[in-house]
Amino acid sequence: RKEVEQDPGPFNVPEGATVAFNCTYSNSASQSFFWYRQDCRKEPKLLMSVYSSGNEDGRFTAQLNRASQYISLLIRDSKLSDSATYLCVALSNTGNQFYFGTGTSLTVIP
Amino acid sequence: DAGITQSPRYKITETGRQVTLMCHQTWSHSYMFWYRQDLGHGLRLIYYSAAADITDKGEVPDGYVVSRSKTENFPLTLESATRSQTSVYFCASSGGGTSTNSYEQYFGPGTRLTVT
């Protein structure tokens, strides 16, 4: 079983829509979680860190459910520029290995 | 320039050749990482380093060698390249320590390696 699993999508949504991605992790001892954004043929870039129950940054909200071992990312009022692949990441309980999901593809349609 | 850089950006090599990918960061981050990214697998950790002269294996270390004689550099060497090592390689760094942002990783632009 993979350490981190995501629905690969693709998610195709109209501009202005709200879209949510879920990600599950297998190691209940994982302490920290992150969402990265990756544009086609580019490097991943940090979108949000999720250290406790969750946090919000503008149109983006990340939530952590430790009981069910999943992390979610909510994007409100989608923009064309939000089109990308979103990677879910879990940090091992030893604090030195990061496990990446395979990513969820989002396309925002005009 | 500040940040994290990788070289070369593109490389084509033949099976059996040795090739070294370079990574350089200017933040004095403690941790550095090498990943490969392949379709269907996402990013997989090859090796990481917690500090100069300290390295450790990740998920897929076979066929790779790393060193870290200086904090800012973390080269990755494919000792005898194979076709299965054709991939996009990303280097990353993070600050380490105990602050809440110490585990945030920052990635280089990647090296696209093709082994023929």
Side-chain angles (χ1 to χ4, degrees), chain A residues 36 38 41 43 49 51 98, chain B residues 37 48 100 104-105 108 112:
Chain A
Y36 280 76
Q38 186 173 26
R41 302 177 73 82
E43 73 273 22
S49 304
Y51 289 108
F98 292 82
Chain B
Q37 187 172 35
Y48 67 96
T100 54
E104 295 172 353
Q105 288 186 93
R112 296 185 179 279

Side-chain angles (χ1 to χ4, degrees), chain B residues 20 69 76 90:
Chain B
T20 296
S69 57
L76 175 74
F90 287 104

